[in-house]
Amino acid sequence: MSREEMDALAKERLVGIARTWYDQMRDGIVPFIRLPTRTKRNIEYDDASEVWKYGERESTRAATNEKGAVHLLKMAYLIGFLKQQLVENRSSTLRELYYISEGWKKAKFGAQDESNHLIEDLEIITEVQREAFHLRPEEDGASVFGPLRIRETTRRGVKEMHCQEDVGEAGYPIPNNVDNLEFVDHDAKFVIAIETGGMYARLMENGFDEEYGAVLVHLKGQPARSTRRVLRKLNDSLGLPVVVFTDGDPWSYRIYASVAYGSIKSAHMSELLATPQAQFIGVQPSDISDYNLPADKLTEQDVSALKAELTDPRFATDYWRSQINLQLEMKLKSEQQAFASRGLDFVTKEYLPTRLSEMGII
Amino acid sequence: MSREEMDALAKERLVGIARTWYDQMRDGIVPFIRLPTRTKRNIEYDDASEVWKYGERESTRAATNEKGAVHLLKMAYLIGFLKQQLVENRSSTLRELYYISEGWKKAKFGAQDESNHLIEDLEIITEVQREAFHLRPEEDGASVFGPLRIRETTRRGVKEMHCQEDVGEAGYPIPNNVDNLEFVDHDAKFVIAIETGGMYARLMENGFDEEYGAVLVHLKGQPARSTRRVLRKLNDSLGLPVVVFTDGDPWSYRIYASVAYGSIKSAHMSELLATPQAQFIGVQPSDISDYNLPADKLTEQDVSALKAELTDPRFATDYWRSQINLQLEMKLKSEQQAFASRGLDFVTKEYLPTRLSEMGII
């Protein structure tokens, strides 16, 4: 879909909500909206698409009382603003949106949480992402480095860049709206998503991208939506396997899970944001003992998080159960940069090639 | 200085420390090092360079007891490692360095704080920055967008890029080592350093860079060393005025102060990291009332931070005293994105042009 078509679709869907309210009122019905309940209990695994989605439970917001009426009023103002923004080809951040509501009198947002939540509601009803409403997040996307040529449609024209040849040492920074990004061609065999900047730079310095045909993606900790969308798109449209390389602790396993399975907050977008084929490459608890890595003791919080993961459906596999139980036994965790204790080349000459061939990727 | 010359200088200075120890031992002197005391009481304003520097107080570390001897042993291992890294044209992060010391037996670092501190000691003794030792920080530099052509020397060759024409919407990401960056040419009148990603994107979208010849630099909150170095270099080598645009609260004023005056931690590097000519453009406390901006109440922490700034020599000017006192009276703070309450164009059509002409920049 072109940028213009996407804008027209988003506008049509937004205005459609207001049109429904108009029809309801004309037919003597008090205006309302219906949405899936957004709780952990209403999230289900969808076998066909291999991601987590909202279930059947729904809740209704109607203008039958003041609270419901004000809610719909706010949504109406929001729809009006977003429609105008699309017409004028402008964009804004979620934070700006909150401030813009200053002029909306009774429809003014009490806090940014409220406007963020309403935007998520609009995403669910319209089945269009907030990026298509021209809303920008505050946080940055991450960076990409590897044998990949991209084309980005920007406000200043279309830019074509090769992610090794036309970028500096910091790589190509992923834009907020991944819909404006096209992959032109590539010479890659797989994608490796990396938690820390230090390891991303290590792989780049050691020439891992060139030697193995790897596209390096820096996750910057818990990845932004745009980063997760790029991973999905690399997997989907180029058919490249995706592996996730993080620290060996329960919080990092959740980074992997959000890449592979999505999260409750964005379950309505799982099919665009999650990469079910993504595989975890390490640091595995078994690596800590196999490679005798420098390690820290698990804290109480770490232990509770690991135990919670044992009952989390996203980790309900033999592989994860045995790794998590092993870690609870060892009571240790290691960072990905701990491989440096065996020399700066160990991770790219030994560890990753061994794991990649075990996993059947190289 | 070319990259090769810089490498040679760094190596020479590092090995020089070890050579001094050798000479001391040969002359029957117990080896020692001498360093300025790194505390708030030993930081002085240097009129000539207009930045804060360490004063006259010094402390000595000598191998006269076990603690001192182990300290020098660690430094010796560190010098050996860094020298080898320079010879092999490798680099590493501060975190990797900490792990590498696993193999150094008695010289192994107890925690990363210790290795970070030793690196700062080496910077002070050698008068060379850690980037010249090929050490990388974990954190990223920020991004630049504007009428500026740069040349970056990377491991994969020299790349030349125009920071409007050859980059995507996220801009050009600043590399870790600013010594590898050259400014080729430009068509700019000034530089505006911006605290939040939302405002950086706003100025870009509104074409502020084109209309006013502005180089936009995203600070990403408290700026990384590389970001501060780029600002200094833009001011120094291109003679461009630098203005700093942050939220209107005490924590943001400290962002401005770290750009303009440097910090205690890096007082030995002030002449490279600080931009004394940098001016604060806003959000000023007086703007909150003048423009009737949406505001939040000051918290107790905010009030204490403002009071601390009243006694901070970096804010000892009539301008800052009156602004800070005004804010303590109003008991309010505003974010830079609060200008959105007056429309998305207000900041670029009204606020910034008015301030820039008051300040004599346009």
Side-chain angles (χ1 to χ4, degrees), chain A residues 67-359:
Chain A
K67 202 178 152 211
V70 169
H71 189 87
L72 295 196
L73 182 69
K74 287 178 182 181
M75 193 177 263
Y77 264 101
L78 190 53
I79 289 170
F81 170 77
L82 294 174
K83 182 200 142 204
Q84 198 54 31
Q85 171 158 289
L86 287 163
V87 169
E88 292 174 10
N89 193 21
R90 304 293 303 262
S91 57
S92 52
T93 66
L94 296 171
R95 194 78 191 136
E96 285 177 323
L97 187 61
Y98 163 69
Y99 282 119
I100 283 162
S101 80
E102 284 282 323
W104 296 354
K105 297 167 201 129
K106 268 199 187 286
K108 183 182 165 211
F109 297 122
Q112 198 183 333
D113 277 357
E114 204 186 344
S115 47
N116 290 357
H117 203 88
L118 263 176
I119 290 292
E120 283 164 16
D121 286 351
L122 288 182
E123 286 186 308
I124 294 171
I125 302 174
T126 60
E127 296 183 340
V128 162
Q129 290 183 86
R130 66 176 185 225
E131 288 84 356
F133 305 148
H134 293 199
L135 285 175
R136 281 193 296 258
E138 285 299 316
E139 87 263 37
D140 277 302
S143 302
V144 174
F145 193 86
L148 174 70
R149 186 181 301 279
I150 57 94
R151 188 182 292 134
E152 185 187 336
T153 305
T154 78
R155 303 195 149 260
R156 314 281 172 100
V158 176
K159 318 277 166 155
E160 206 172 290
M161 276 166 280
H162 190 277
C163 298
Q164 280 164 334
E165 290 159 21
D166 304 326
V167 297
E169 267 185 358
Y172 165 72
I174 297 171
N176 289 322
N177 191 353
V178 175
D179 284 323
N180 296 332
L181 195 62
E182 251 179 281
F183 303 135
V184 181
D185 57 48
H186 74 93
D187 192 23
K189 293 197 178 59
F190 66 96
V191 177
I192 181 164
I194 304 151
E195 179 176 354
T196 66
M199 188 52 80
Y200 172 71
R202 165 65 42 228
L203 267 53
M204 197 186 297
E205 173 173 326
N206 290 9
F208 186 76
D209 53 309
E210 290 186 315
E211 193 169 348
Y212 291 95
V215 174
L216 316 178
V217 177
H218 177 199
L219 292 175
K220 280 196 181 175
Q222 193 68 42
R225 277 166 66 121
S226 52
T227 310
R228 287 183 281 152
R229 289 193 64 192
V230 159
L231 290 170
R232 168 78 186 218
K233 200 166 165 166
L234 284 164
N235 180 247
D236 247 15
S237 70
L238 302 183
L240 294 173
V242 172
V243 300
V244 181
F245 186 21
T246 68
D247 290 340
D249 66 51
W251 319 100
S252 296
Y253 307 152
R254 290 176 190 189
I255 290 177
Y256 161 70
S258 90
V259 168
Y261 304 101
S263 62
I264 295 177
K265 233 180 108 62
S266 59
H268 58 293
M269 292 281 147
S270 285
E271 274 172 279
L272 281 161
L273 290 174
T275 309
Q277 267 80 42
Q279 295 180 72
F280 183 71
I281 192 164
V283 178
Q284 313 173 100
S286 53
D287 297 329
I288 302 175
S289 48
D290 288 356
Y291 294 106
N292 193 21
L293 294 178
D296 287 313
K297 286 218 176 82
L298 293 180
T299 65
E300 272 177 51
Q301 288 80 4
D302 292 335
V303 171
S304 317
L306 283 170
K307 285 184 178 161
E309 283 165 11
L310 281 176
T311 65
D312 185 328
R314 301 179 301 176
F315 294 101
T317 64
D318 288 346
Y319 170 77
W320 278 109
R321 258 191 297 264
S322 75
Q323 289 290 341
I324 292 171
N325 281 319
L326 174 65
Q327 186 153 33
L328 284 167
E329 231 166 80
M330 296 193 302
K331 298 186 179 62
L332 293 174
K333 59 182 175 182
S334 286
E335 296 178 352
Q336 52 182 182
Q337 291 189 70
F339 286 112
S341 65
R342 301 175 70 111
L344 295 177
D345 287 327
F346 183 80
V347 69
T348 50
K349 295 274 176 226
E350 291 280 332
Y351 179 71
L352 290 175
T354 306
R355 282 288 292 143
L356 285 163
S357 80
E358 271 173 23
M359 294 161 84

Side-chain angles (χ1 to χ4, degrees), chain B residues 101-146:
Chain B
S101 80
E102 284 282 321
W104 295 354
K105 295 167 205 133
K106 267 201 190 280
K108 184 184 162 203
F109 298 122
Q112 199 183 331
D113 277 358
E114 203 186 347
S115 46
N116 290 358
H117 203 89
L118 262 177
I119 290 292
E120 284 164 16
D121 286 351
L122 288 183
E123 285 186 309
I124 294 172
I125 302 173
T126 60
E127 296 182 342
V128 162
Q129 290 183 89
R130 66 176 183 226
E131 288 84 356
F133 305 148
H134 293 200
L135 284 174
R136 280 193 296 259
E138 285 299 315
E139 89 264 35
D140 275 301
S143 301
V144 175
F145 193 86

Side-chain angles (χ1 to χ4, degrees), chain B residues 185-200:
Chain B
D185 57 49
H186 76 93
D187 192 23
K189 294 198 176 58
F190 66 96
V191 176
I192 181 164
I194 303 153
E195 179 176 355
T196 67
M199 187 53 80
Y200 172 70

Side-chain angles (χ1 to χ4, degrees), chain B residues 166-205:
Chain B
D166 304 327
V167 297
E169 266 185 359
Y172 165 72
I174 298 171
N176 289 323
N177 192 353
V178 175
D179 285 324
N180 297 332
L181 195 62
E182 249 179 282
F183 303 135
V184 181
D185 57 49
H186 76 93
D187 192 23
K189 294 198 176 58
F190 66 96
V191 176
I192 181 164
I194 303 153
E195 179 176 355
T196 67
M199 187 53 80
Y200 172 70
R202 166 63 44 227
L203 267 53
M204 199 187 293
E205 172 173 327

